[in-house]
Amino acid sequence: MNIPNLPEPLASFNPEIGLILGSGLGFFADDRIEVAGRLSYGEIEGFPVSTVEGHAGQFVYGTIGGKRVICMQGRFHFYEGYSMAEITSPIRLMHALGVRTLFVTNAAGGINPDYVPGDFMLLRDHINALGTNPLIGWEGDEGVRFPDMSEVYDGQLRTGLRAWAEAQGVVLREGVYLAATGPSYETPAEVRAFATLGADAVGMSTVPEAIVARKLGMRVLALSCITNAAAGISKTPLTHEEVTETADRVRPQFADLLTAAIALA
Ligand code: HPA
């Protein structure tokens, strides 16, 4: 990816932390960031434009607890028809701007029977079931050809956030996230298969961004909001409304958790 020319003040903002806000979680930028500026994806040369309801599609940048952050309010999904290179172009852009720690959030369906909608899950690891990899055809000479993925999600940040959650009495799950392409939700048979594979939650994002961030040597932490029980575990049909309703309900808790995570960076 050629790094596009960005307008000031973003071009010289020098953010240290990147945030990706998933479905129904975009409010965080408005609620918790001392905003210095916004830049709509549509204004960035060569950038894809987000098409999903509930995704505003802009960078919001500013400070939180004195730290300079750049935040994606809305992300790109594979199911929207974008290439892996397009989905992960914001990660390369954030890295080029100076970001070295990336926080990724998503909405996910709970597979682990202990999980209830409204729970938060720290990603301990992931399973890439997208059938492709964002590093295929990589252009550029950053990083190693075959990046190690034995600890995608930073152990030190996870330990720190677990300690914070315990001290606050916040329930924080930790588990394995499986990325499926969507946009159809899973069948009950798929969810049973994913459980057998070791997945605790299933969603349609995060893994491409995390792989590219690791390739670029960034520290990564990812958090799922468990918005629903996955298909077959839930006896009722899944809807996007259920996902956004749950995310809305746990807004303050989610914002506190993410703020605590950023303070650890
Ligand atoms: N499956 C896939 N993606 C999701 C789900 C789900 O159940 N809930 C929120 N995102």
Side-chain angles (χ1 to χ4, degrees), residues 107-109 185-186 202-204 227-228 230 238 243:
Y185 288 115
E186 300 69 36
V202 56
M204 305 176 192
T227 52
N228 56 279
L238 304 185
V243 169

PDB file of all heavy atoms in Angstrom, residues 107-109 185-186 202-204 227-228 230 238 243, ligand 1:
ATOM      1  N   ALA A 107     -17.824  -7.529  18.026  1.00  0.00           N
ATOM      2  CA  ALA A 107     -18.991  -8.203  18.578  1.00  0.00           C
ATOM      3  C   ALA A 107     -18.862  -9.664  18.160  1.00  0.00           C
ATOM      4  O   ALA A 107     -18.424  -9.957  17.047  1.00  0.00           O
ATOM      5  CB  ALA A 107     -20.260  -7.596  17.998  1.00  0.00           C
ATOM      6  N   ALA A 108     -19.208 -10.581  19.048  1.00  0.00           N
ATOM      7  CA  ALA A 108     -19.049 -11.995  18.725  1.00  0.00           C
ATOM      8  C   ALA A 108     -20.165 -12.814  19.351  1.00  0.00           C
ATOM      9  O   ALA A 108     -20.778 -12.405  20.341  1.00  0.00           O
ATOM     10  CB  ALA A 108     -17.687 -12.497  19.220  1.00  0.00           C
ATOM     11  N   GLY A 109     -20.406 -13.960  18.758  1.00  0.00           N
ATOM     12  CA  GLY A 109     -21.374 -14.899  19.307  1.00  0.00           C
ATOM     13  C   GLY A 109     -20.664 -15.841  20.275  1.00  0.00           C
ATOM     14  O   GLY A 109     -19.568 -16.317  19.995  1.00  0.00           O
ATOM     15  N   TYR A 185     -24.895 -15.845   9.376  1.00  0.00           N
ATOM     16  CA  TYR A 185     -24.476 -16.387  10.657  1.00  0.00           C
ATOM     17  C   TYR A 185     -24.230 -17.885  10.469  1.00  0.00           C
ATOM     18  O   TYR A 185     -24.583 -18.463   9.435  1.00  0.00           O
ATOM     19  CB  TYR A 185     -25.543 -16.128  11.729  1.00  0.00           C
ATOM     20  CG  TYR A 185     -25.622 -14.674  12.159  1.00  0.00           C
ATOM     21  CD1 TYR A 185     -26.771 -13.917  11.911  1.00  0.00           C
ATOM     22  CD2 TYR A 185     -24.562 -14.063  12.815  1.00  0.00           C
ATOM     23  CE1 TYR A 185     -26.855 -12.586  12.305  1.00  0.00           C
ATOM     24  CE2 TYR A 185     -24.625 -12.738  13.209  1.00  0.00           C
ATOM     25  CZ  TYR A 185     -25.773 -11.998  12.956  1.00  0.00           C
ATOM     26  OH  TYR A 185     -25.839 -10.689  13.349  1.00  0.00           O
ATOM     27  N   GLU A 186     -23.657 -18.496  11.493  1.00  0.00           N
ATOM     28  CA  GLU A 186     -23.279 -19.897  11.401  1.00  0.00           C
ATOM     29  C   GLU A 186     -24.506 -20.802  11.520  1.00  0.00           C
ATOM     30  O   GLU A 186     -25.532 -20.404  12.062  1.00  0.00           O
ATOM     31  CB  GLU A 186     -22.293 -20.248  12.542  1.00  0.00           C
ATOM     32  CG  GLU A 186     -21.016 -19.430  12.519  1.00  0.00           C
ATOM     33  CD  GLU A 186     -21.205 -17.958  12.861  1.00  0.00           C
ATOM     34  OE1 GLU A 186     -22.053 -17.632  13.715  1.00  0.00           O
ATOM     35  OE2 GLU A 186     -20.503 -17.123  12.244  1.00  0.00           O
ATOM     36  N   VAL A 202     -17.340 -16.702  18.166  1.00  0.00           N
ATOM     37  CA  VAL A 202     -17.213 -16.610  16.711  1.00  0.00           C
ATOM     38  C   VAL A 202     -17.639 -15.223  16.241  1.00  0.00           C
ATOM     39  O   VAL A 202     -18.605 -14.655  16.732  1.00  0.00           O
ATOM     40  CB  VAL A 202     -18.021 -17.732  16.002  1.00  0.00           C
ATOM     41  CG1 VAL A 202     -19.493 -17.731  16.408  1.00  0.00           C
ATOM     42  CG2 VAL A 202     -17.907 -17.648  14.472  1.00  0.00           C
ATOM     43  N   GLY A 203     -16.878 -14.708  15.281  1.00  0.00           N
ATOM     44  CA  GLY A 203     -17.201 -13.399  14.719  1.00  0.00           C
ATOM     45  C   GLY A 203     -16.702 -13.304  13.290  1.00  0.00           C
ATOM     46  O   GLY A 203     -16.235 -14.289  12.711  1.00  0.00           O
ATOM     47  N   MET A 204     -16.816 -12.101  12.726  1.00  0.00           N
ATOM     48  CA  MET A 204     -16.520 -11.923  11.299  1.00  0.00           C
ATOM     49  C   MET A 204     -15.428 -10.878  11.060  1.00  0.00           C
ATOM     50  O   MET A 204     -15.416 -10.228  10.019  1.00  0.00           O
ATOM     51  CB  MET A 204     -17.792 -11.503  10.558  1.00  0.00           C
ATOM     52  CG  MET A 204     -18.974 -12.444  10.742  1.00  0.00           C
ATOM     53  SD  MET A 204     -20.454 -11.818   9.937  1.00  0.00           S
ATOM     54  CE  MET A 204     -21.718 -12.918  10.616  1.00  0.00           C
ATOM     55  N   THR A 227     -22.279 -10.675  22.201  1.00  0.00           N
ATOM     56  CA  THR A 227     -23.572 -10.008  22.026  1.00  0.00           C
ATOM     57  C   THR A 227     -24.737 -10.977  21.977  1.00  0.00           C
ATOM     58  O   THR A 227     -25.895 -10.570  22.112  1.00  0.00           O
ATOM     59  CB  THR A 227     -23.574  -9.178  20.731  1.00  0.00           C
ATOM     60  OG1 THR A 227     -23.152 -10.019  19.652  1.00  0.00           O
ATOM     61  CG2 THR A 227     -22.648  -7.986  20.841  1.00  0.00           C
ATOM     62  N   ASN A 228     -24.429 -12.248  21.769  1.00  0.00           N
ATOM     63  CA  ASN A 228     -25.498 -13.250  21.618  1.00  0.00           C
ATOM     64  C   ASN A 228     -24.884 -14.630  21.809  1.00  0.00           C
ATOM     65  O   ASN A 228     -23.666 -14.789  21.673  1.00  0.00           O
ATOM     66  CB  ASN A 228     -26.107 -13.152  20.200  1.00  0.00           C
ATOM     67  CG  ASN A 228     -25.045 -13.320  19.122  1.00  0.00           C
ATOM     68  OD1 ASN A 228     -24.326 -12.368  18.795  1.00  0.00           O
ATOM     69  ND2 ASN A 228     -24.920 -14.518  18.601  1.00  0.00           N
ATOM     70  N   ALA A 230     -24.190 -18.110  20.232  1.00  0.00           N
ATOM     71  CA  ALA A 230     -24.051 -18.516  18.828  1.00  0.00           C
ATOM     72  C   ALA A 230     -25.198 -19.457  18.432  1.00  0.00           C
ATOM     73  O   ALA A 230     -25.885 -20.029  19.289  1.00  0.00           O
ATOM     74  CB  ALA A 230     -22.705 -19.186  18.618  1.00  0.00           C
ATOM     75  N   LEU A 238     -30.870 -15.547  15.020  1.00  0.00           N
ATOM     76  CA  LEU A 238     -29.977 -14.409  15.288  1.00  0.00           C
ATOM     77  C   LEU A 238     -30.324 -13.242  14.375  1.00  0.00           C
ATOM     78  O   LEU A 238     -30.662 -13.437  13.216  1.00  0.00           O
ATOM     79  CB  LEU A 238     -28.523 -14.796  15.030  1.00  0.00           C
ATOM     80  CG  LEU A 238     -27.987 -16.006  15.782  1.00  0.00           C
ATOM     81  CD1 LEU A 238     -26.500 -16.187  15.497  1.00  0.00           C
ATOM     82  CD2 LEU A 238     -28.215 -15.849  17.271  1.00  0.00           C
ATOM     83  N   VAL A 243     -27.475  -8.059  18.159  1.00  0.00           N
ATOM     84  CA  VAL A 243     -26.050  -7.753  18.334  1.00  0.00           C
ATOM     85  C   VAL A 243     -25.873  -6.302  18.783  1.00  0.00           C
ATOM     86  O   VAL A 243     -25.192  -6.021  19.781  1.00  0.00           O
ATOM     87  CB  VAL A 243     -25.285  -8.026  17.009  1.00  0.00           C
ATOM     88  CG1 VAL A 243     -23.860  -7.478  17.067  1.00  0.00           C
ATOM     89  CG2 VAL A 243     -25.271  -9.525  16.698  1.00  0.00           C
TER      90      VAL A 243
HETATM   91  N1  HPA B   1     -21.638 -15.043  14.665  1.00  0.00           N
HETATM   92  C1  HPA B   1     -20.795 -14.347  13.898  1.00  0.00           C
HETATM   93  N2  HPA B   1     -20.533 -13.070  14.087  1.00  0.00           N
HETATM   94  C2  HPA B   1     -21.154 -12.443  15.095  1.00  0.00           C
HETATM   95  C3  HPA B   1     -22.063 -13.112  15.923  1.00  0.00           C
HETATM   96  C4  HPA B   1     -22.323 -14.473  15.693  1.00  0.00           C
HETATM   97  O1  HPA B   1     -23.113 -15.130  16.399  1.00  0.00           O
HETATM   98  N3  HPA B   1     -22.518 -12.188  16.829  1.00  0.00           N
HETATM   99  C5  HPA B   1     -21.889 -11.014  16.542  1.00  0.00           C
HETATM  100  N4  HPA B   1     -21.059 -11.168  15.495  1.00  0.00           N
END
